Every structure is written in structure tokens, then in C-alpha cells.
């Protein structure tokens, strides 16, 4: 399978980055092709709601930023993994922008399965991020292979790594 991981943490060596890298390593070891993109390091603006993509653009966004690098990756992905820290009860702004820009294509056409990786310093702050993920998956008709959350004492542990490995096995 072709897997695209969108990692939305600005911390290159942080907990979310670790989770995304563990997923990538496990999936590659299982024989999958994996692309991991740190969208926090990209210049991607939010949707302008200008409707160019659905009128004159034929599905192409009018904005020409780093999202142009993601569209071809989204087009060939069978699996989409979102990895985000939880900042103030929801997904990071850095991952929200590319998600909003899916609007121009309505949904990544070949994606069949999704997974969600979340980290936070606090327990009990994941509900809004999970709800958004489930709404997107439901709208697009994706199969949810699972969600892994890691609060402070669960971060970068063997137990969390094992949960990530179970997600990869569900592919």
C-alpha cells in the first residue's frame, strides 16, 4: 500500500514526530511504501473559500504554495495518516491548513483507510480532534484503522510504540 503521513508538529524531535516516524518505520518494515511529510515545515495557507477550484479551476486551488507538493502525494495514497499534537483541544493549525485545502479536490480519491496519531501533555483533551477526524473520514467514506493517543507519561514508550505497530498490522 502507498501510505502518506501528514505530521503537523513544529517540533522536529517532539512526541508527534516520534509517533509518525514509528508508524513509518513499521509500515516500511511491513513492505508498504511510505511518504512522511512534516506539514508544519511547509508554507500552506488555509482555504480562501473563493470557489475558484469548483468553478474556473476544475479542482485546482488558486493558491500556489507548498500544498502543490501534497496534491500528487494525496492522489496516489491508499492510506492517509494524520499525526498532530493537540493544542488547545484540537488538531494543530499546521495540519488544519492542508486538511482545509482538501476542499479543492473534495477528498483524496484513492485513500481507502486512515489512522490518527495524537500527542498532548494532558489527558482528556482529544475529543475535538477525534471528532474532526471521524467527521472527515465519514464524509469521505474512509475506513478508520485506529487512533493512538499519547499523553505526557505515554510519550516515546514501548507501550505507545506497540499501539502504533497494531495500527500498521490493521492495514
Amino acid at each position: 500500500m502507498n501510505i502518506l503521513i501528514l505530521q503537523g508538529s513544529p517540533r522536529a524531535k517532539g512526541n508527534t514526530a516520534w509517533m509518525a516516524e514509528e508508524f513509518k518505520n513499521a509500515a516500511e518494515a511491513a513492505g508498504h511504501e511510505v511518504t512522511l511529510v512534516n506539514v508544519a515545515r511547509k508554507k500552506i495557507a488555509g482555504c480562501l473559500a473563493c470557489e475558484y477550484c469548483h468553478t474556473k479551476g476544475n479542482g485546482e486551488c488558486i493558491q500556489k504554495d507548498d500544498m502543490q507538493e501534497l496534491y500528487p502525494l494525496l492522489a496516489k495514497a491508499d492510506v492517509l495518516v494524520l499525526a498532530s499534537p493537540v493544542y488547545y483541544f484540537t488538531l494543530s493549525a499546521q495540519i488544519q491548513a492542508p486538511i482545509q485545502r482538501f476542499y479543492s479536490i473534495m477528498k483524496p480519491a484513492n485513500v481507502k483507510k486512515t489512522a490518527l496519531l495524537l500527542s498532548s501533555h494532558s489527558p482528556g483533551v482529544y475529543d475535538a480532534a477525534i471528532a474532526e477526524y471521524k467527521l472527515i473520514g465519514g464524509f469521505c467514506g474512509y475506513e478508520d484503522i485506529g487512533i493512538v493517543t499519547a499523553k505526557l507519561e505515554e510519550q516515546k514508550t514501548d507501550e505507545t510504540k506497540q499501539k502504533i505497530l497494531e495500527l500498521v498490522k490493521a492495514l
Side-chain angles (χ1 to χ4, degrees), residues 19-169:
M19 293 173 80
E21 194 65 38
E22 289 297 326
F23 191 101
K24 178 183 183 285
N25 293 341
E28 286 177 338
H32 301 287
E33 182 181 328
V34 183
T35 303
L36 171 57
V37 179
N38 183 348
V39 295
R41 299 283 182 233
K42 302 289 183 185
K43 297 292 183 196
I44 301 174
C47 178
L48 297 174
C50 67
E51 290 298 326
Y52 175 85
C53 59
H54 296 150
T55 56
K56 299 174 191 164
N58 295 321
E60 186 176 317
C61 183
I62 196 166
Q63 299 183 80
K64 303 304 178 217
D65 56 14
D66 290 344
M67 188 66 189
Q68 301 311 308
E69 298 170 25
L70 295 185
Y71 287 127
L73 299 173
L74 287 163
K76 69 177 191 172
D78 303 304
V79 178
L80 177 63
V81 178
L82 301 177
S84 178
V86 174
Y87 294 156
Y88 210 69
F89 304 100
T90 194
L91 300 171
S92 69
Q94 292 87 347
I95 203 162
Q96 289 285 0
I99 290 170
Q100 289 178 7
R101 297 281 292 282
F102 291 0
Y103 180 68
S104 65
I105 57 174
M106 290 312 291
K107 68 175 192 169
N110 291 326
V111 171
K112 304 292 183 275
K113 299 179 180 188
T114 58
L116 180 63
L117 307 173
L118 297 173
S119 68
S120 176
H121 280 258
S122 305
V125 296
Y126 302 108
D127 292 350
I130 292 170
E132 180 179 357
Y133 165 77
K134 288 184 176 183
L135 284 168
I136 293 167
F139 171 77
C140 295
Y142 300 150
E143 176 188 342
D144 172 23
I145 62 166
I147 300 167
V148 175
T149 63
K151 61 184 184 293
L152 188 58
E153 65 273 6
E154 298 168 333
Q155 294 171 355
K156 298 183 181 179
T157 64
D158 289 338
E159 181 181 328
T160 298
K161 184 176 181 176
Q162 187 57 43
K163 290 177 183 176
I164 293 167
L165 292 173
E166 294 300 319
L167 287 185
V168 172
K169 288 179 187 174

